[in-house]
């Protein structure tokens, strides 16, 4: 069952909203955005809504720990991860989970024809898996009760 579920199944329920920031914005602005929107990462977008990078709360916490709060005046581009692993709407959830596990990150931007269209977090994947397990156990229980 899970192998054929696609990223689209998650997005159809959670929506296609993505919080983005420009590479020239300051890290202070990025931190405010993370706090306001209660999220763990922002996608850094370039021309034509292409993905230029990703900035996670971990990047900021590590940089402040190593270099101090002065870094908040620096641009997002100075700290963002530039080699972003993305997925497509029609990729399987199994492939998405493998990317997150292999790369040890909790966010994967969804790209279609080179443009950012959505984002999936580890929380979205866990929610999807729990709902799926509950659906399966309900179906099994109904089957047993009516057999
Ligand atoms: P996260 O677990 O998503 O908070 O991110 C942990 C680290 O991986 C941070 O350095 C992020 O910039 C980086 N990161 C997050 N998502 C991705 C991604 N999809 N591709 C590459 N790096 C990422």
């Amino acid at each position: 069952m899970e192998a054929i579920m696609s990223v689209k199944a998650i997005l159809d329920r959670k929506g296609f909203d993505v919080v983005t920031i420009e590479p020239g914005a300051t890290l202070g602005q990025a931190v405010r955005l993370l706090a306001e929107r209660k999220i763990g990462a922002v996608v850094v977008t370039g021309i034509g809504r292409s993905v230029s990078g990703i900035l996670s709360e971990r990047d900021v916490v590590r940089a402040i720990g190593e270099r101090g709060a002065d870094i908040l005046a620096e641009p997002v581009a100075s700290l963002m991860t530039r080699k972003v692993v993305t997925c497509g709407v029609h990729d399987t959830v199994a492939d998405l989970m493998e990317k997150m596990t292999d790369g040890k990150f909790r966010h994967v931007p969804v790209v279609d024809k080179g443009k950012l269209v959505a984002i999936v977090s580890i929380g979205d994947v866990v929610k999807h898996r729990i709902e799926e397990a509950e659906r399966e156990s309900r179906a099994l229980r109904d089957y047993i009760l009516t057999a």
Side-chain angles (χ1 to χ4, degrees):
M1 176 88 171
E2 180 55 36
I4 54 156
M5 288 297 261
S6 73
V7 169
K8 191 171 180 300
I10 297 179
L11 297 176
D12 282 343
R13 289 180 76 91
K14 86 150 240 194
F16 286 74
D17 188 32
V18 199
V19 179
T20 62
I21 197 161
E22 289 177 3
T26 66
L27 289 166
Q29 287 171 317
V31 166
R32 266 196 297 282
L33 197 56
L34 292 174
E36 273 166 23
R37 301 296 294 264
K38 298 187 172 62
I39 51 172
V42 278
V43 181
V44 188
T45 44
I47 296 159
R49 222 170 156 75
S50 60
V51 175
S52 301
I54 190 162
L55 182 80
S56 137
E57 56 197 352
R58 279 201 187 163
D59 298 318
V60 183
V61 169
R62 189 177 307 130
I64 291 177
E66 286 169 2
R67 292 187 275 140
D70 285 354
I71 61 125
L72 292 176
E74 291 179 15
V76 165
S78 68
L79 198 62
M80 69 187 190
T81 300
R82 288 167 189 271
K83 265 198 162 177
V84 184
V85 175
T86 62
C87 71
V89 177
H90 301 294
D91 290 2
T92 64
V93 174
D95 280 348
L96 173 69
M97 288 192 299
E98 200 176 311
K99 281 181 179 175
M100 285 182 167
T101 310
D102 287 353
K104 295 189 174 66
F105 42 68
R106 298 164 296 177
H107 301 88
V108 177
V110 185
V111 169
D112 189 38
K113 297 185 188 80
K115 286 186 180 174
L116 175 71
V117 292
I119 189 164
V120 183
S121 75
I122 191 98
D124 301 325
V125 176
V126 170
K127 187 167 180 277
H128 167 83
R129 292 300 304 261
I130 290 172
E131 284 169 0
E132 194 178 52
E134 282 170 352
R135 254 196 320 275
E136 276 175 16
S137 84
R138 243 192 332 269
L140 271 176
R141 204 174 43 234
D142 290 350
Y143 174 74
I144 292 164
L145 287 177
T146 56

